Amino acid sequence: MLTRKQIELLKLIHTRMETDGVAPSFDEMKDALDLRSKSGIHRLITALEERGFIRRMHHRARAIEVLKLPDALQKDGFEAKVIEGGAREKPTPPAKALPVDASALSLPIMGRIAAGTPIEAISAVVNDISVPASMLRGRASHYALEVQGDSMIDLGINDGDIVVIREQDTADNGDIVVALVEGLEATLKRFRRQNGMIALEAANPAYETRLLRDDQVQVQGRLVGLIRSY
């Protein structure tokens, strides 16, 4: 899943490649997406490249190749330009729902959440899953997300797991949360306040803790359960 800003940037690059044969400059991208600095564009470009939507040609100026487009753009009449011999990413099969019983409730799966490089967390409902009623706490809204990545494996959260999230905008130290960073990217991490900053901690020594200002992080929910299919 891509964030709205990632989709807007991909659409901009694709359109300019179709009309002008060259990608827009970083300044043009920044202005088109109404971002305050080019660092946000760098993050968006890196995220699109890591997900296989574009490829940068590092020894050529403004050389970006669009490899594929998400369904949202293809439905608008866009056609992805894929390099010859390029491998297409296999579509992710829909998550399998648990057997429904009298004590189970249905939750929407709202896409994928990164346990690794941040990606879009909450977008559109892609499926439903049945979860035990005992997993849902209080009257708050809940939703489910599919985990992508391995940054939380030391806490037993693996790639492909389904996490159940209680929707809330606050968190206590030690909570595992869905955190939206600068409105551009979302990730599943342990939340801590540290010396006036917010630390988003991975549970894998291969990933560094991210320290961010309070205004850079928006909590979108707290982990309350996990479902794994074998």
Side-chain angles (χ1 to χ4, degrees), residues 94-166:
K96 294 181 179 180
L98 294 179
V100 178
D101 58 41
S103 63
L105 297 174
S106 179
L107 284 185
I109 299 177
M110 304 292 290
R112 291 178 173 176
I113 179 69
T117 304
I119 56 175
E120 169 74 324
I122 303 173
S123 53
V125 177
V126 298
N127 206 342
D128 294 306
I129 191 167
S130 296
V131 303
S134 59
M135 191 178 288
L136 309 183
R137 304 177 183 181
R139 297 183 178 180
S141 298
H142 293 74
Y143 56 90
L145 295 164
E146 181 185 351
V147 173
Q148 182 172 347
D150 61 357
S151 73
M152 302 300 285
I153 56 174
D154 287 354
L155 289 177
I157 302 173
N158 298 333
D159 184 60
D161 286 346
I162 300 294
V163 289
V164 178
I165 304 296
R166 173 181 170 145

Side-chain angles (χ1 to χ4, degrees), residues 201-218:
E201 299 177 349
N204 181 338
Y207 294 86
E208 294 183 354
T209 296
R210 301 180 68 184
L211 286 176
L212 299 157
R213 299 190 311 273
D214 186 77
D215 64 348
Q216 293 178 296
V217 179
Q218 178 186 350

Side-chain angles (χ1 to χ4, degrees), residues 18 21 26-27 31 51 56 65 97 101 120 124 127 172 179 203:
E18 289 287 303
F26 272 40
D27 283 322
D31 293 341
R51 286 157 186 73
R56 281 183 286 188
E65 186 169 21
D101 58 41
E120 169 74 324
N127 206 342
D172 296 324

Side-chain angles (χ1 to χ4, degrees), residues 49-60:
E49 188 171 31
E50 288 174 345
R51 286 157 186 73
F53 287 94
I54 64 172
R55 183 180 69 170
R56 281 183 286 188
M57 301 171 192
H58 295 282
H59 300 294
R60 294 168 54 190

Side-chain angles (χ1 to χ4, degrees), residues 1-2 6-7 10-11 13-14 47-55 65-74 78-83 86-92 112 148:
M1 306 295 291
L2 298 179
Q6 288 167 356
I7 291 175
L10 185 58
K11 182 176 180 179
I13 293 170
H14 178 81
L48 289 172
E49 188 171 31
E50 288 174 345
R51 286 157 186 73
F53 287 94
I54 64 172
R55 183 180 69 170
E65 186 169 21
V66 177
L67 303 180
K68 63 180 180 179
L69 295 174
D71 291 342
L73 292 186
Q74 293 187 40
F78 289 89
E79 183 177 352
K81 295 174 67 177
V82 182
I83 58 172
R88 291 181 177 268
E89 183 177 308
K90 293 182 179 178
T92 302
R112 291 178 173 176
Q148 182 172 347

